[in-house]
Amino acid sequence: MLWIPVTLFAAFAQTFRFMVQKRLRIGTLSTAGATFARFLYSAPLISALAIGYFLVRGYGLPRVDWPFWAFAATGGLCQVSATMCVVALFQQRNFTVGITFKKIEVLLAVGFGLLFLGEGVSMPALGAISIGVLGVIVLSDTPQVAGSEGPRFFNKATALGLSCGILFGACAVFYRGATLHIWAEDVFARASVALMAAILMQLVGMALFLTWREPQQIKAVVQAWRVAVWVGLLSLFGSMAWFTAFALQNAAYVKALGQVEILASFAISVFVFGEKLRRSEALGILLLSASVVLLILLI
C-alpha cells in the first residue's frame, strides 16, 4: 500500500506548484512561459536525482525498449499541452474551479488504461466515476455577465477544462506504460529514469516552441528565477511521487486518490487568492469529492 502515501504527497505538491504557476502567469509570463518554467528548473534537479541514485546504489544502466520511448514521448506531449490548458484556464475561472476541471482526468484514465494497457476497474468504481461526471457538468456552467452574450455551458472555460482533463488522463496512462517497459533494480530506479527521459524531451520541445513563437519568454523565465525555481522544486517532488505511484498501481486508481488535491486547492483559493465560490461551483466540487471518497472506499 506504499502507493497511497506517495500519491497523497504527489497531489499536494502538484497543487502548490499550480499555485506558484498561477502567480507567474498573473505576473510577467505568458501561458507557455509559465509552463516552460516548470521544465527549465526541474529538469536539472530530476536528472541529478536519477543519475545520483544509480551511482550511490551502484546500479548498472537500465534496459528499455521502443515502447518505453513511445509512451514517454507521448505522455510528455500530453502533459505539456495539458499544463498549458490548465494555466490558461486560471485566467477564465478561479483557482479551485480550474483545478477541479483538471480532475476529470480520473474519469478518463480508466478508459485510456483499458485501451492502451488492458487495465480496467470494477463496475462499482465506474458508478462512483459517473458521479464525478455530473460534478463536471455542474462546474461547466459559467455565470452570465449583464449585457454579455455566449453559451453558459459550452464556452472557452469548459473547452480548456475538458481538454486539460483529457490530456492529463492520457499522460498518466502513458507514463505508467513507460514504467512498465523499463527494467531496473527497484521501483524508484524505474520511476526516476522514466521521469528523466520524459522531462528532458519536454524541456527541448518547449525550448524549441518558445524560440519559434515567443522568444522573449525564455529570457523572462530566467529573470523570474526567484519565483520560478519553486516551480522546479515542487515539480521535482510531485513528479517523482507520481511516477513512483504509477509504477506501483493502476493509473486510474492513482488519479482517483489524487483527487484530494481539490481540498488543498480550495484552501489555497480562499486563503491565498481571496477567491469566492458560487453555489453551483461548490455543488460541483462536492459531487466530485463524493466521487473521490467512493472510489477510495472501493479500491
Side-chain angles (χ1 to χ4, degrees), residues 67-68 71-72 117 171-182 246:
F68 167 82
F71 277 123
L117 302 178
C171 94
V173 172
F174 290 136
Y175 281 160
R176 172 161 172 78
T179 65
L180 296 177
H181 284 272
I182 180 171
F246 292 147

Side-chain angles (χ1 to χ4, degrees), residues 71-95:
F71 277 123
T74 307
L77 178 61
C78 288
Q79 187 177 34
V80 169
S81 302
T83 302
M84 292 181 68
C85 285
V86 78
V87 172
L89 179 60
F90 291 151
Q91 300 299 105
Q92 301 292 319
R93 304 291 290 275
N94 72 36
F95 185 77

Side-chain angles (χ1 to χ4, degrees), residues 39-70:
F39 305 115
L40 178 64
Y41 291 98
S42 64
L45 298 174
I46 290 170
S47 298
L49 176 65
I51 295 172
Y53 183 74
F54 270 76
L55 290 176
V56 170
R57 297 300 300 269
Y59 291 161
L61 293 175
R63 292 182 294 111
V64 300
D65 53 17
W66 72 263
F68 167 82
W69 295 107

Side-chain angles (χ1 to χ4, degrees), residues 6 17 38 41 65 67 88 91 106 111 129 136 147 150 160 166 179 188 201 205 216 219 222 230 234 251 263 270 294:
V6 170
R17 173 172 63 80
R38 174 195 177 185
Y41 291 98
D65 53 17
Q91 300 299 105
V106 70
I129 287 172
V136 172
L160 287 170
I166 291 170
T179 65
F188 189 83
M201 287 189 283
Q216 72 282 0
K219 182 179 179 181
V222 174
W230 290 103
L234 290 168
L263 301 178
V270 174
L294 289 173

